[in-house]
Amino acid sequence: MKIKAVLFDMFDTLMMIEYNHEFYIPSLKAMFYALKEKGMESSFSEFKEAYTRARDELYKKADLNYQNKNYYEALNFYKELVKDDAKNDYLNLKIANCYYKLNNYTYAQLFYDKVNEEKISADDMVTWAKIWLHNEKYEIARR
């Protein structure tokens, strides 16, 4: 059994658990032992390293597509990453900006609204105000 193929099957669950660190390693170990019983032949450290590489690769692909202005592709990667981590400010901001660049202001606003305002840069705050204007929320845009 190839580790990389298995990691993508459980990626969403592990992403969700990772942000609650007290459950991350025990959950990762539980999945490791379950896969080991199914015939996977690797150590826990190899398994954890392969998972981390696979997760980081998705972030790299998403960010590279965003930098290259492939907003639709970037959006797909970011949405996959945020599936089970709805409170991730970085991902929600990237998704909001992708939607904005794709002229989908309704969804852009939905994702901007999920971001902690303290994490929003001045440039992103201007974009957020533009989105409110596009969505005819003038009172909010003025503040």
Side-chain angles (χ1 to χ4, degrees):
M1 179 180 287
K2 292 184 180 181
I3 293 174
K4 193 166 185 176
V6 173
L7 287 172
F8 284 113
D9 289 342
M10 61 184 155
F11 182 76
D12 294 334
T13 304
L14 289 174
M15 283 299 295
M16 177 182 70
I17 293 169
E18 182 177 16
Y19 291 94
N20 188 346
H21 296 285
E22 99 183 54
F23 297 111
Y24 177 65
I25 294 296
S27 298
L28 192 62
K29 284 184 178 180
M31 288 186 198
F32 167 75
Y33 289 120
L35 292 170
K36 197 140 179 99
E37 286 179 13
K38 302 266 186 202
M40 182 182 71
E41 296 178 17
S42 70
S43 68
F44 176 71
S45 62
E46 291 170 325
F47 174 77
K48 183 179 175 192
E49 184 180 323
Y51 164 74
T52 302
R53 277 194 318 265
R55 180 200 60 209
D56 291 350
E57 188 63 30
L58 283 179
Y59 269 95
K60 285 178 189 174
K61 287 179 181 179
D63 290 340
L64 183 62
N65 275 290
Y66 188 87
Q67 290 167 1
N68 290 331
K69 300 181 180 184
N70 298 324
Y71 300 116
Y72 183 77
E73 292 298 321
L75 178 62
N76 288 330
F77 284 113
Y78 290 130
K79 283 171 53 178
E80 187 64 32
L81 288 164
V82 82
K83 254 185 205 174
D84 292 323
D85 187 17
K87 294 183 179 182
N88 185 311
D89 288 328
Y90 175 81
L91 293 172
N92 283 314
L93 188 57
K94 287 295 194 176
I95 291 170
N97 284 329
C98 285
Y99 278 125
Y100 175 75
K101 300 285 187 182
L102 294 169
N103 300 319
N104 188 330
Y105 306 114
T106 301
Y107 280 105
Q109 182 180 337
L110 288 172
F111 281 91
Y112 260 111
D113 289 348
K114 293 179 181 187
V115 179
N116 179 344
E117 287 188 36
E118 294 173 7
K119 306 277 181 153
I120 298 176
S121 70
D123 288 341
D124 287 327
M125 195 60 86
V126 169
T127 303
W128 199 5
K130 289 178 184 178
I131 290 167
W132 285 328
L133 289 173
H134 279 287
N135 292 334
E136 299 180 2
K137 299 201 178 199
Y138 305 115
E139 292 300 316
I140 297 172
R142 279 183 233 186
R143 40 174 202 140

